[in-house]
Amino acid sequence: MHETYFTGGVFSSSIDGGRAGADIELAHDAIKASAKDGQLFTLRYSDCNVEMGGFNNKMVFCRNEDRSLTIFTEDKKFSAALAFAAGGLLDDQLQAGKNKVKSDKRSGRNFVLICMVCLVVGLTGLYYGIKIAGSAAVDALPVSVDKQIGRHTFTGMELGGEEIHDPVIVGAMETIVERLAPHAALAGLDYEVHVVRSEQVNAFALPGGIIVVYTGLIEHADQPEQVAGVLAHEISHATLRHGLERVGQSLGVAAAVNLLIGNVEGLVVLGAEVFKLATVNSYSRGQETEADSEGVRMLHAAKIDPLGLAQFFEILKEEGNGLPASLEWISTHPDHQARIINIRGLVAELGPQDYEPLDVDWDDVRRRVDDMN
Amino acid sequence: MDHEIRNRPSFANIKLNLSAGESIVAEADAMASMSGTVTMSTRWSGGVMKGIAKRLFGGESMFVNEFTTESEGELILTQPFPGDIECIELKGNTMFLQPGAFIACDPGITLGLGWAGFRMLIGGEGLFRLKVSGEGRVWFGAYGGIFQKEIEDEYVVDTGHLVAYEPSIGVKVGMAGGLFSSFFSGEGLVTRVSGPGRIYMQSRSFDGLAAWTNSHLW
């Protein structure tokens, strides 16, 4: 059984203001609307033109021929009740109205969907655009900025141990760096090696070329080539300017504004803060892979066996089961198995090279490190 | 209670003369001045949750003020931005107002918040709109002048110019023209409304003001 009474409204020029709410009745042969101002309106089913739409696409409009009278309601049961009351007279019009509403809804949904897709594509483009622009801006900066950021960072840094000046140990590290330096991808860096007494198995290079090696790392290396592998990897972060990229990404707009107004000093201070706040070695996975490739290239060019890097990963992998906290370097360089495979793959692709041993008395270096403990 | 909208259209304000026992509901902060005989009480706009929702999504205050007098008094209401004010009388019908447009109404009017949909968000009109219904007068404001139009067939309104519309109005958001002209004509997206029903538009848009101001900042 269909309902007969509904709540809705009327548009008519005979109402002051042209519209009013109304109580609607589906009578025997006509729609009757009793407006709130007391006027009664009647529209015969045979004279009725049905339209559908409104803001929610749920409204049914019953209008006379010249559209001077419109009776409407949003009641969802009205459509079926009207079809029943009109005895099939309005079925075609109601069906056409429903089809139009369906089509409007579909096109509305499609439009929203297209806008959402455009928004996602736009945001993705913006993200990568900023990244590319950031890289380009970093490339354009003089090397002196790297040096200043590195110096600022190093000055305020807690190294976690006492710096040692043993000429044999420090000399061995300098020998390695001197072999690598001529083959660096970025010219103009001033390499400076600091050795710190600590159980930490760790080493890092700051922007500009300041290199810090922990005695724990030397203790764990069987061959100087293994330390050379680690140092080549770390120097690559500096020569590929990964630190500056990180500063650019962390500071975002602040870095861009400082670059735009030429305030390099401001960028240096902000950049050093970024380094102090984060772990020095926390580079992205992409940057680590890049540093592996560049390190291998540098080692190969310097005639140092690049497999030393892979071997060092293997040593740490064996010793690192349970990962003691002192194995700092391995904890910031995860996925070592995949990287060993990657490094071996890179070495296999390189052309033949006559590797020359490093001019270092490694046994003496290890003994002196042991004596310190 | 008689009323007068003065200083139209740029700096319109509403002057109401309240008689004993009459009251008016107004948006918080809408009062500019009033007689000492008029008292004001503040309440949540439709309850705590609805009040918060109106603040968050409807561009309105969480509270409304009800002004009343036991003798007689004058009340001046205004809006925060320059522009005209319109008064409509509802007779059991409903009107949708864009966020921030509502100023005042008779106590017989119900204020509700309705979902406007993502299409309206994309069109720059906001996710929600205020729904006023019942019997009585409603005053709403706009930035710039207000003009109304009876809509039968499709009519195009630039985004940000629609202030109020009846529920019988169908609204679609689309591009102003083709891809090229939509991007380079400065019109971008437009609102396509279809009747039957009445819409109220404002002659200026806040987005237009913001863009104009922005262009003079650099």
Side-chain angles (χ1 to χ4, degrees), chain A residues 177-186 191 239 294 297-303:
Chain A
V177 173
E178 278 164 20
R179 278 276 294 273
L180 292 167
H183 309 284
L186 182 68
Y191 297 100
T239 60
E294 174 59 14
R297 185 203 64 77
M298 221 196 283
L299 290 160
H300 184 75
K303 296 186 177 179

Side-chain angles (χ1 to χ4, degrees), chain A residues 8-41:
Chain A
V10 176
F11 292 152
S12 169
S13 55
S14 66
I15 301 172
D16 183 26
R19 59 252 302 122
D23 295 321
I24 299 167
E25 180 193 356
L26 292 174
H28 171 64
D29 59 347
I31 307 166
K32 293 181 177 175
S34 172
K36 297 289 180 192
D37 68 350
Q39 290 191 66
L40 186 68
F41 298 88

Side-chain angles (χ1 to χ4, degrees), chain B residues 43-66:
Chain B
R43 57 178 164 83
W44 287 93
S45 181
V48 178
M49 294 313 292
K50 284 183 180 175
I52 293 170
K54 276 174 201 159
R55 169 67 266 181
L56 290 176
F57 307 116
E60 308 293 341
S61 302
M62 285 187 276
F63 305 99
V64 287
N65 295 326
E66 187 159 351

Side-chain angles (χ1 to χ4, degrees), chain B residues 6-159:
Chain B
R6 312 180 303 179
N7 307 117
R8 301 179 82 164
S10 300
F11 301 100
N13 55 86
I14 312 158
K15 180 173 180 282
L16 295 141
N17 294 314
L18 274 70
S19 303
E22 287 183 333
S23 60
I24 196 92
V25 176
E27 171 76 350
D29 202 31
M31 191 272 289
S33 63
M34 64 183 191
S35 307
T37 52
V38 176
T39 56
M40 184 186 84
S41 61
T42 303
R43 57 178 164 83
W44 287 93
S45 181
V48 178
M49 294 313 292
K50 284 183 180 175
I52 293 170
K54 276 174 201 159
R55 169 67 266 181
L56 290 176
F57 307 116
E60 308 293 341
S61 302
M62 285 187 276
F63 305 99
V64 287
N65 295 326
E66 187 159 351
F67 297 88
T68 188
T69 179
E70 289 178 1
S71 53
E72 60 177 15
E74 174 189 283
L75 173 66
I76 311 294
L77 300 173
T78 189
Q79 60 176 350
F81 39 83
D84 204 358
I85 291 172
E86 185 73 31
C87 175
I88 53 170
E89 181 147 17
L90 298 184
K91 296 173 183 149
N93 52 323
T94 301
M95 185 66 87
F96 291 149
L97 301 180
Q98 285 301 92
F102 173 75
I103 298 174
C105 64
D106 283 326
I109 296 292
T110 306
L111 295 172
L113 190 71
W115 171 255
F118 286 109
R119 60 190 157 154
M120 296 300 272
L121 179 73
I122 291 164
E125 308 284 1
L127 265 180
F128 296 84
R129 74 275 186 280
L130 206 63
K131 181 180 175 184
V132 290
S133 55
E135 292 187 50
R137 292 166 296 179
V138 176
W139 288 267
F140 63 91
Y143 174 48
I146 300 178
F147 48 100
Q148 67 173 59
K149 187 164 179 66
E150 289 290 340
I151 305 295
E152 269 300 331
D153 302 313
E154 193 174 86
Y155 191 71
V156 177
V157 184
D158 195 10
T159 51

